[in-house]
Amino acid sequence: MLLRLHAQPKKIALLIQQNFCVGLYTASLLFACPAFAESISYAQAEQSISKDSYSTQANQALQQSAQLQAEAVKGLGLPRVDLNVRAYAFHNEVDLPLGALKNNLEQSLSNGVNNKIDELNLGGFADPLKEGLKQPIHDAVGLIPDESTVALDDQVIRPTVSVLMPLYTGGLTSSTKEIAHLRAQRSQLNTKQQQDVQCFELIQAYFNTQLQKQLLASSQSNFNAMQTHYSNALKLEHQGFISKGQRMQFEVAKNNAERSVQNATANFRSSLFQLNNLLQRSQITELSTPLFINSSQNQNLNTLLKSYPEQSALIQKMQMDTQLANANVKVQSAAKKPNVFAFGEYSLDEKQNWIVGVAARYNLFSGVNNNKNVQAAELQRYASELMTERTKQEVENIIYSSYNEMTSTQQSHQLLQQNVQAAQENLRIQTLSFKEDMGTATQLIDAQNSLNGLKSEMALNAYKYVISLATLLQSHGSIEQFQSYVSQSHTSYIR
């Protein structure tokens, strides 16, 4: 029956025109893009995000900051030299006792007068004369007060150079240097971890866009096929070869296919916007790296489980946290020990006074229990060790499950390829059966939907493989090797 229809040139031209218009309409909906469209491969996207992303620039700044802090404390333990200038004015009142001075003065005057009288050889007049002068001398000295208040006022500018050098700090100096060095190394690991996470986000965004593009293409193909079946069904209904109910079955299938195209369009546009936003672009419309599945597994599960502690930035960072906690134990222990330091000061004024010496300080009481601080630091170190081991368990679980999921998707891909071939053959048979009035509309619609569903499932399976591979590599700490899997031999691409 359909053979007679296809033999009519006018109807064939009308059918082609209708399908062409539908294709143009759908393309205008889906692929409307900026005037300056841009195509990008995954390798280009990875290179772009590794240089220009905000996260990369922020972590680079933090890494440089930590490195500068480590360099800043390299000189701890060397002498500290300071130039000091003191400018001050002072007023001081001092009470001076004069009793001893008066006694000494009276005694000195009496002795002096007596000696002079003896030198005169006055004979018997000497003693009465001495006694007569004693009282006047006593009275004269008594005029001096017993004490006097002296006020001192002055303004001084005194420049000095001082030197302070720690001789023994109980390990505080070395521990401080160690902590700064460990933090610089940890910052490098933090940058590496951020780059791994960012790379994983890019893989998700890039290949999710490819997935949505494949699902859109599948939906569009299904819509075009259903449109063709519906157009043919209209002609057959007009000629009386099929019933209105059969024609309406095709109409429902066409409408469902059109709804699927609309949903797929929205999903594709959203994924494309997210990718552009992640890459700080606005004109990317084409992705040149397709979804893929490697046919063979070139990773060994046992090797991955053994080598990840040396590769994973997360595990290395947690191990460094344990080292930082151990250094903190040393710092808290140093607070319990005495400090010994040498000091000196030289005056730069005209007096040129100087002082040198050695001092020791040992805290007896400060209100802080240093023993408990040490115990707390030791518990923090212990907790860090336990959390590292727990994280290792979680990473091992992710590696194991991702590896098995990859293997499963590879096996599924082979079966899906076989199913697609079978579905194509089934669609061909159902189309011929319907033309010969030996098959139903439902069978033809189901065959068409089954084929397009398998194509979508192949794309979903490939995306599942890509994400499993990315998860495995990120957990292992080698996600930078992802690009090598894209171009491996014996790789199936979903285009």
Side-chain angles (χ1 to χ4, degrees):
M1 293 179 291
L2 284 180
L3 294 176
R4 295 196 302 273
L5 176 64
H6 288 296
Q8 300 178 22
K10 292 183 179 180
K11 293 185 177 180
I12 293 175
L14 178 62
L15 180 61
I16 293 174
Q17 183 180 5
Q18 290 175 341
N19 290 335
F20 180 73
C21 291
V22 170
L24 286 178
Y25 170 74
T26 307
S28 65
L29 286 176
L30 304 183
F31 300 106
C33 54
F36 302 99
E38 182 180 357
S39 176
I40 191 170
S41 67
Y42 171 76
Q44 292 171 329
E46 185 179 283
Q47 184 179 10
S48 173
I49 199 172
S50 65
K51 295 190 304 181
D52 303 329
S53 75
Y54 299 124
S55 299
T56 297
Q57 296 178 51
N59 277 273
Q60 287 176 348
L62 291 174
Q63 181 179 338
Q64 292 175 3
S65 172
Q67 185 63 41
L68 289 173
Q69 289 175 345
E71 294 175 359
V73 298
K74 284 184 177 179
L76 281 179
L78 297 177
R80 171 174 175 168
V81 180
D82 295 309
L83 175 63
N84 313 299
V85 178
R86 300 184 183 95
Y88 56 90
F90 66 88
H91 170 80
N92 190 19
E93 293 185 358
V94 181
D95 292 331
L96 298 177
L98 302 179
L101 176 63
K102 290 169 59 177
N103 293 334
N104 292 335
L105 178 59
E106 183 178 354
Q107 186 67 36
S108 297
L109 290 174
S110 296
N111 292 336
V113 170
N114 292 336
N115 292 333
K116 289 296 182 180
I117 292 173
D118 291 337
E119 290 176 359
L120 294 176
N121 295 319
L122 297 178
F125 294 101
D127 290 335
L129 184 58
K130 291 179 181 179
E131 289 297 327
L133 293 175
K134 181 182 295 185
Q135 185 61 39
I137 293 175
H138 177 75
D139 294 339
V141 174
L143 296 175
I144 300 174
D146 292 335
E147 64 178 10
S148 178
T149 301
V150 178
L152 301 177
D153 292 282
D154 200 358
Q155 293 180 348
V156 178
I157 297 178
R158 180 171 297 169
T160 62
V161 174
S162 61
V163 179
L164 182 67
M165 180 175 179
L167 301 178
Y168 176 75
T169 60
L172 179 61
T173 301
S174 58
S175 298
T176 302
K177 290 181 179 180
E178 181 183 3
I179 289 175
H181 179 68
L182 289 173
R183 284 177 177 171
Q185 291 183 325
R186 188 183 186 279
S187 181
Q188 293 178 352
L189 292 173
N190 196 58
T191 300
K192 172 66 166 57
Q193 185 184 13
Q194 176 271 328
Q195 291 173 346
D196 290 352
V197 171
Q198 187 172 255
C199 185
F200 184 81
E201 291 177 351
L202 175 63
I203 292 171
Q204 283 183 311
Y206 188 96
F207 289 99
N208 178 59
T209 304
Q210 286 288 45
L211 170 63
Q212 299 305 324
K213 182 179 179 181
Q214 291 297 321
L215 295 179
L216 175 58
S218 178
S219 298
Q220 184 178 349
S221 175
N222 189 47
F223 173 74
N224 292 338
M226 289 302 177
Q227 180 70 28
T228 301
H229 293 320
Y230 176 65
S231 298
N232 291 336
L234 282 174
K235 296 176 178 62
L236 291 174
E237 181 188 9
H238 292 159
Q239 295 179 2
F241 292 109
I242 63 174
S243 65
K244 180 180 179 181
Q246 288 178 306
R247 188 267 301 168
M248 292 184 68
Q249 286 181 290
F250 286 105
E251 184 176 0
V252 170
K254 176 186 72 70
N255 292 338
N256 289 336
E258 186 174 3
R259 287 194 304 108
S260 178
V261 168
Q262 293 171 352
N263 293 333
T265 300
N267 293 337
F268 174 68
R269 286 177 174 172
S270 296
S271 62
L272 191 59
F273 176 83
Q274 292 173 4
L275 179 61
N276 274 277
N277 199 22
L278 182 63
L279 295 175
Q280 302 176 37
R281 307 285 185 89
S282 61
Q283 299 172 348
I284 297 175
T285 57
E286 291 295 331
L287 310 181
S288 58
T289 303
L291 287 166
F292 66 95
I293 293 183
N294 302 121
S295 302
S296 59
Q297 183 64 275
N298 61 348
Q299 293 277 15
N300 183 275
L301 180 58
N302 291 329
T303 301
L304 291 171
L305 290 174
K306 289 180 180 178
S307 60
Y308 80 88
E310 291 76 30
Q311 296 289 331
S312 172
L314 172 61
I315 300 302
Q316 293 179 14
K317 191 170 73 170
M318 296 192 71
Q319 290 172 341
M320 193 153 291
D321 287 340
T322 302
Q323 296 179 37
L324 282 168
N326 186 59
N328 186 44
V329 172
K330 297 178 183 178
V331 170
Q332 299 302 327
S333 299
K336 300 168 54 179
K337 300 175 181 178
N339 293 329
V340 180
F341 54 92
F343 65 92
E345 187 173 44
Y346 180 77
S347 175
L348 298 178
D349 58 13
E350 68 280 358
K351 297 181 180 180
Q352 297 184 348
N353 296 328
W354 57 269
I355 182 174
V356 295
V358 177
R361 181 176 60 191
Y362 182 76
N363 179 256
L364 298 177
F365 178 77
S366 66
V368 177
N369 193 321
N370 292 323
N371 290 326
K372 291 186 177 180
N373 273 340
V374 173
Q375 293 175 2
E378 290 175 343
L379 288 173
Q380 290 173 353
R381 177 183 60 190
Y382 178 61
S384 180
E385 292 173 350
L386 294 178
M387 290 303 299
T388 301
E389 295 305 315
R390 174 56 186 155
T391 303
K392 285 182 178 180
Q393 290 178 329
E394 295 177 355
V395 170
E396 289 170 359
N397 289 336
I398 294 174
I399 290 176
Y400 188 85
S401 60
S402 300
Y403 185 90
N404 287 331
E405 193 168 273
M406 284 177 56
T407 303
S408 176
T409 54
Q410 288 173 329
Q411 296 170 350
S412 297
H413 181 69
Q414 297 175 358
L415 296 176
L416 285 170
Q417 286 178 317
Q418 299 174 8
N419 288 346
V420 167
Q421 294 176 356
Q424 289 173 338
E425 179 63 18
N426 180 50
L427 178 60
R428 187 185 68 83
I429 293 173
Q430 295 301 329
T431 302
L432 291 175
S433 297
F434 184 77
K435 287 179 181 179
E436 299 298 331
D437 202 18
M438 298 178 62
T440 65
T442 301
Q443 291 173 327
L444 178 57
I445 292 171
D446 288 345
Q448 183 68 57
N449 287 335
S450 177
L451 176 60
N452 286 282
L454 284 171
K455 290 181 179 179
S456 297
E457 192 172 348
M458 284 188 68
L460 286 165
N461 188 67
Y463 178 72
K464 185 178 179 181
Y465 172 82
V466 169
I467 297 302
S468 299
L469 173 62
T471 303
L472 175 68
L473 295 176
Q474 184 193 20
S475 302
H476 181 260
S478 54
I479 198 170
E480 68 277 359
Q481 299 177 8
F482 178 84
Q483 176 60 28
S484 64
Y485 288 82
V486 178
S487 56
Q488 277 187 5
S489 58
H490 307 294
T491 298
S492 297
Y493 297 98
I494 310 300
R495 302 183 187 276

